[in-house]
Amino acid sequence: MPTPTDAAGSEPGAAASSAPTPVIEFVDVEKSFGNNVVLKDLNFQVARGERVTLIGPSGSGKTTILRLVMTLEELTGGYIYIDGQPLTHHKRDGKRVPVSKKEQKRLRTRIGMVFQQFNLFPNMTVLENIIEAPIHVLGRSKKDAIAKAHSLLEQVGLPEKADSHPSSLSGGQQQRVAIARALAMDPEILLLDEVTSALDPEVVDDVLNILREVADTTNVTMLIVTHEMGFARDVSHKVMMFDGGHVVEEGPPDKIFTNPEQERTRKFLSAVLGH
Amino acid sequence: MEFFEDWPQYFEVVINWSDRLMAGLWTTIQLTLFGGLLAFVVAVTLGLLAGSPHRWMRIPARILIEFFRGISLVVLLFWLMFVLPQIWMRNPDLPFRDLVYNTFLLGVIALGVNYGAYGAEAVRASLTTVPSGQWEATTALSMSWPHKMRRIIFPQAWALMLPSLANLWVHLLKGSAIAYIMPFVSDFTAELNQLRRPTDIWFSHAFIGLIVYFLLALILTIFMQALEARAKHKLGRGPSLKEILSPAPKAVVPEGSGVKIADSEQEAAGAGSAPAKPEGGVR
Amino acid sequence: MILNLTQAAEIDDPSMVDEEEVRRSPFWDWDFAFDAFPDIFMAFLEVTLLVTVIGSLLAAVLGLVIAILIMVLPKPLAWLVRWVANFIRMTPIVVQLIFVFWAFVWMDALTIGIIVFGVHYATYMSEVYRAGIESVPRGQWEATTALSMSAGRTWRKVVIPQALRSTVPSLGNYAISMFKDTPFLLVIGVAEMVTVAGERGAPVFRTTEVYTIAGLLFLAASYPTAVLINRLEKRLAYAH
């Protein structure tokens, strides 16, 4: 299995020595909604600094994986470890024991997420959206938080929008603010949940370029769900193909996109690329 | 509290008074039924008129709705009781002379007209919520106005307006308690008030009164929810009443029917216009 | 402020009125109308409006507390709070007024009126808030989780500000409802507008003017407010 280097701005797919503790580890994960089993016996690891893209038809459970990592869904079976520490349950004498809320919160601050629907707070300005959590969750000073927010807004190309309200921004601009808001927390893990799916086609590239730059200049671990195969190919070290709650195939993007082993993957790719 | 020490004694009093209490309860039920019936007729009539495309129908209906909602129920009641009979006093030859002195009837009219005006808003709002495609289809099929109303538009609007009407009916039941101030109308509240005299600790009986009103309101609510389920089933949404009632009694009163009431209120208001009792998006 | 309760609660039989007297007097007497207006208007300001304003504020605050309690309390307690609220909402305010009046005989009737109206309407407003809170998109809650915001800040800074926006018009409508329910206060002998109107008319056997004035004051105050709230509702709907 190819693993990324720890160095920032590593070439996607570049192999390196095996990582010590995986930053995300799924062990026998099971997720069901009522009687509907979405994920079953799922095992995989993501190394520090690794960028993994999950692809597959809709309903295959990709987004559920991200939401489990963000604790937006309740895990119904198995274990998730963040940097070796249990996120929702420990295993003790073969039984699942829930971890304390406090511990979970502490781990959660290290994870950031960008949503398909942006989910900016409409009652706050752009700046307030970005500084809210750094000040009140991480306990940073207001001055530092504002300075950082301005530099992030610069980075996402919206330096003049600090005092605007989200409703006055276009979808692409809102999503760029949402990226800045997630990055303001200095996350070790960034979850990107179909971040361009709700955008007009002509602004998709603006958003993806910002994310490419983030990938190039930082060492943040990324777990990505996207339908933008070009982007997946550019930024990820590893691509995992899902169907029916299982990993059908995984490997470096070059291999998956050009020479997949499984018929299922080939079909899926020809459907999404050939449209 | 004394109530708890003297409980057996009060129990006896209540039993002794049970005939009068039952008579009062019956009056309250009659007020609610007849008032509700009149309110329904007023609501549908004024609601259809207020939703009409013709100004000469719409404007008078609007004025009546605003008038009957805008003045308080109590003012309306006093007006009917004291001002209206003067017309007959001044013209002794007018017919229906006995009716204007019938305080029960006046109570029914006050309740019916007041809550009917609120209901008209719900009827009008639910008519506008029926998708415009449905109206256009009836025009395309050259249906006459009564025809499309009766067969196409009203059955769809009916399911939408039922939650608000259910709400209003409960409001009307509660509003009927004010009838006890009227002479010759001995409703449940009036009898409860009489009960204060022999027992002295009236508030224990007021509490019994509250419970009885609550049960009545619950019965109304469940009845109206059954109607709503039936109306929805007829439109091909949701199970039939039979299905709901038969194997697992689950859906009819989804946990906490009271909450459900307010739920539906929002639902009806969702169209952007008419929350049930308070004059929501008027006009 | 407190009248004799039995007197307030039992109105004279209208058929006992001397018809000869009625026939001799005009249907509408402008002089008497102008004469009675100031008293009725003062009662309108001093009691009716006072109860409505303080009662509405009380209901708005208490309603929010109830809505949040139902959402955050553990299940059995939340269930209890919800059914107590349902009970209050589904029983007549008239009987509630009488109940509280006799349960707390030492309390001033006006205070009782304000509290009963406030609590009764709080149960309605709690439903408005609940709907408002539920209308806050799930994504907003998820974003607060993703940012590890505390529960308190999530409520204060994200959920309530957004929920309030959609609730303002409905709260206003309930305030108008309360306003029109204030004459129920006559059952506990509070000298609100309609009671004062009746008292003003009784000695001279004239009822037309006083009740018409009372009705018109209700119309004059509630209709423009309703129109205003409706406008506000439309503006808020477009702005979002």
Side-chain angles (χ1 to χ4, degrees):
Chain A
M1 186 173 81
T3 46
T5 61
D6 283 359
S10 58
E11 278 301 305
S17 58
S18 61
T21 347
V23 73
I24 305 173
E25 185 174 13
F26 274 48
V27 177
D28 300 332
V29 162
E30 188 189 303
K31 172 64 189 170
S32 48
F33 297 95
N35 291 331
N36 181 18
V37 180
V38 184
L39 300 171
K40 199 161 168 56
D41 299 329
L42 182 64
N43 289 282
F44 71 89
Q45 300 180 343
V46 179
R48 185 170 296 282
E50 194 177 21
R51 296 188 287 273
V52 177
T53 301
L54 312 177
I55 61 170
S58 54
S60 58
K62 303 161 297 186
T63 289
T64 306
I65 292 171
L66 263 57
R67 295 172 61 83
L68 283 170
V69 175
M70 195 67 258
T71 67
L72 295 174
E73 302 286 356
E74 207 170 323
L75 189 60
T76 48
Y79 307 88
I80 297 173
Y81 298 94
I82 300 298
D83 222 357
Q85 297 173 54
L87 178 67
T88 63
H89 296 80
H90 326 262
K91 193 172 196 171
R92 194 182 289 157
D93 305 332
K95 279 185 199 147
R96 295 172 79 234
V97 182
V99 301
S100 73
K101 284 269 173 226
K102 210 172 146 198
E103 181 64 15
Q104 191 177 79
K105 272 187 186 155
R106 207 179 53 75
L107 277 178
R108 206 161 56 195
T109 56
R110 298 159 67 173
I111 308 169
M113 184 162 183
V114 183
F115 299 88
Q116 182 180 351
Q117 296 296 342
F118 336 131
N119 294 345
L120 294 180
F121 304 132
N123 53 317
M124 299 182 189
T125 64
V126 164
L127 185 72
E128 285 166 346
N129 261 284
I130 299 174
I131 64 174
E132 169 68 30
I135 294 174
H136 295 284
V137 176
L138 302 179
R140 293 197 181 139
S141 76
K142 196 168 179 187
K143 204 173 124 237
D144 292 353
I146 291 175
K148 172 143 185 136
H150 280 298
S151 87
L152 282 167
L153 281 174
E154 194 89 35
Q155 192 183 334
V156 300
L158 297 168
E160 75 289 353
K161 297 290 188 189
D163 296 322
S164 305
H165 273 273
S167 56
S168 67
L169 303 183
S170 71
Q173 291 171 327
Q174 288 194 46
Q175 193 59 297
R176 285 190 271 166
V177 173
I179 293 169
R181 182 174 74 174
L183 292 175
M185 294 290 280
D186 290 323
E188 290 168 44
I189 301 167
L190 187 61
L191 309 170
L192 304 176
D193 183 13
E194 305 201 24
V195 293
T196 56
S197 297
L199 300 180
D200 291 337
E202 63 267 28
V203 301
V204 166
D205 280 341
D206 294 346
V207 171
L208 292 183
N209 286 336
I210 286 163
L211 291 171
R212 280 192 181 96
E213 195 191 318
V214 173
D216 287 345
T217 54
T218 64
N219 188 28
V220 59
T221 306
M222 289 188 185
L223 204 51
I224 304 163
V225 171
T226 184
H227 295 301
E228 297 290 333
M229 295 304 156
F231 173 70
R233 195 166 179 163
D234 289 353
V235 300
S236 37
H237 300 104
K238 185 165 85 180
V239 174
M240 293 167 81
M241 167 72 196
F242 271 82
D243 194 17
H246 294 279
V247 182
V248 175
E249 184 173 3
E250 61 175 85
D254 282 343
K255 177 166 169 297
I256 299 283
F257 286 121
T258 51
N259 190 20
E261 278 169 18
Q262 302 291 326
E263 179 57 28
R264 186 71 195 84
T265 314
R266 202 166 300 148
K267 262 191 174 163
F268 171 75
L269 286 174
S270 74
V272 289
L273 295 175
H275 66 99
Chain B
M1 242 179 265
E2 295 151 84
F3 170 64
F4 293 105
E5 294 159 19
D6 301 339
W7 164 246
Q9 184 198 328
Y10 294 125
F11 194 65
E12 207 170 289
V13 175
V14 172
I15 287 180
N16 288 340
W17 278 67
S18 61
D19 283 353
R20 291 193 58 175
L21 283 176
M22 289 311 279
L25 185 61
W26 178 233
T27 307
T28 290
I29 290 172
Q30 282 178 311
L31 277 174
T32 307
L33 288 181
F34 292 127
L37 204 64
L38 178 62
F40 180 68
V41 172
V42 170
V44 172
T45 313
L46 287 182
L48 286 177
L49 289 175
S52 152
H54 306 293
R55 288 178 76 95
W56 60 270
M57 289 168 111
R58 205 172 58 223
I59 290 171
R62 277 249 65 89
I63 292 172
L64 284 177
I65 291 173
E66 296 307 340
F67 180 78
F68 288 128
R69 288 197 315 180
I71 73 173
S72 165
L73 173 64
V74 176
V75 176
L76 195 57
L77 207 57
F78 283 6
W79 229 83
L80 289 177
M81 243 167 28
F82 297 116
V83 183
L84 187 73
Q86 289 186 24
I87 298 173
W88 274 262
M89 290 178 192
R90 284 161 209 283
N91 308 288
D93 303 331
L94 282 179
F96 308 120
R97 189 181 159 81
D98 291 344
L99 295 184
V100 288
Y101 291 119
N102 184 335
T103 43
F104 175 81
L105 183 68
L106 294 181
V108 167
I109 291 173
L111 289 169
V113 169
N114 184 233
Y115 290 98
Y118 284 108
E121 219 18 67
V123 171
R124 191 199 55 80
S126 48
L127 284 176
T128 59
T129 318
V130 174
S132 58
Q134 295 289 314
W135 292 87
E136 286 164 11
T138 59
T139 310
L141 293 168
S142 307
M143 288 182 176
S144 67
W145 190 87
H147 184 193
K148 71 180 171 198
M149 267 302 156
R150 203 166 52 83
R151 301 283 302 160
I152 313 294
I153 306 297
F154 201 80
Q156 295 184 48
W158 177 235
L160 293 168
M161 70 180 79
L162 267 174
S164 316
L165 296 185
N167 241 329
L168 279 172
W169 206 11
V170 173
H171 276 295
L172 188 145
L173 163 68
K174 299 191 317 181
S176 78
I178 194 62
Y180 101 89
I181 62 171
M182 293 168 49
F184 308 129
V185 181
S186 292
D187 76 331
F188 190 57
T189 307
E191 295 297 353
L192 283 170
N193 205 20
Q194 294 298 320
L195 198 54
R196 174 168 55 85
R197 287 165 189 165
T199 56
D200 218 34
I201 303 271
W202 188 79
F203 92 82
S204 56
H205 304 303
F207 193 69
I208 296 171
L210 287 176
I211 289 173
V212 171
Y213 272 108
F214 180 62
L215 292 178
L216 285 181
L218 271 185
I219 293 168
L220 278 191
T221 306
I222 291 167
F223 173 71
M224 291 302 276
Q225 276 172 2
L227 269 191
E228 191 192 342
R230 199 183 73 142
K232 279 193 175 154
H233 177 66
K234 280 194 172 168
L235 296 178
R237 300 188 289 248
S240 75
L241 203 52
K242 231 180 186 172
E243 284 159 10
I244 295 170
L245 292 174
S246 55
K250 174 173 139 235
V252 186
V253 194
E255 44 171 302
S257 51
V259 172
K260 179 72 179 140
I261 287 173
D263 241 355
S264 348
E265 187 165 322
Q266 286 304 319
E267 226 169 80
S273 277
K277 155 118 199 215
E279 52 249 74
V282 203
R283 268 173 175 300
Chain C
M1 199 58 80
I2 301 176
L3 306 171
N4 180 338
L5 201 80
T6 46
Q7 191 188 339
E10 280 153 30
I11 303 299
D12 293 334
D13 175 3
S15 60
M16 293 293 131
V17 176
D18 183 352
E19 295 200 11
E20 270 312 309
E21 182 82 20
V22 170
R23 246 176 256 134
R24 262 185 276 120
S25 61
F27 185 73
W28 183 270
D29 181 347
W30 279 108
D31 289 339
F32 177 62
F34 281 116
D35 199 35
F37 183 80
D39 287 347
I40 300 173
F41 191 66
M42 281 318 281
F44 172 73
L45 292 180
E46 284 176 355
V47 180
T48 303
L49 273 190
L50 178 84
V51 172
T52 308
V53 170
I54 302 181
S56 300
L57 290 177
L58 179 63
V61 174
L62 196 60
L64 185 59
V65 172
I66 295 172
I68 293 176
L69 280 183
I70 290 176
M71 290 193 137
V72 301
L73 280 182
K75 265 222 171 107
L77 278 176
W79 185 89
L80 186 74
V81 173
R82 209 178 60 193
W83 275 96
V84 170
N86 283 347
F87 184 81
I88 295 172
R89 189 174 41 232
M90 290 171 82
T91 48
I93 206 160
V94 169
V95 185
Q96 287 169 5
L97 283 168
I98 298 171
F99 173 60
V100 178
F101 184 81
W102 288 102
F104 301 93
V105 265
W106 41 271
M107 222 193 254
D108 171 41
L110 185 65
T111 315
I112 288 176
I114 290 171
I115 292 172
V116 169
F117 272 97
V119 171
H120 188 90
Y121 274 91
T123 62
Y124 281 102
M125 291 190 181
S126 76
E127 289 300 323
V128 175
Y129 286 120
R130 188 182 62 94
I133 290 167
E134 279 173 5
S135 75
V136 173
R138 209 162 58 122
Q140 293 290 311
W141 291 92
E142 292 181 349
T144 64
T145 306
L147 293 170
S148 302
M149 287 169 68
S150 67
R153 259 195 106 69
T154 299
W155 280 98
R156 273 206 323 279
K157 290 290 166 176
V158 178
V159 177
I160 291 176
Q162 291 183 53
L164 281 186
R165 213 182 149 72
S166 57
T167 56
V168 169
S170 300
L171 297 186
N173 283 324
Y174 278 120
I176 295 179
S177 269
M178 185 192 292
F179 172 65
K180 287 185 291 195
D181 278 356
T182 51
F184 289 162
L185 284 172
L186 68 87
V187 304
I188 57 168
V190 173
E192 51 69 53
M193 178 168 62
V194 180
T195 312
V196 169
E199 282 175 351
R200 202 64 183 68
V204 287
F205 302 107
R206 297 212 55 86
T207 46
T208 320
E209 296 84 0
V210 288
Y211 289 130
T212 307
I213 289 171
L216 289 178
L217 278 174
F218 271 118
L219 268 178
S222 66
Y223 182 68
T225 319
V227 171
L228 243 141
I229 288 171
N230 192 31
R231 290 233 179 101
L232 179 75
E233 190 173 21
K234 280 194 178 133
R235 255 201 28 213
L236 288 177
Y238 294 147
H240 207 53

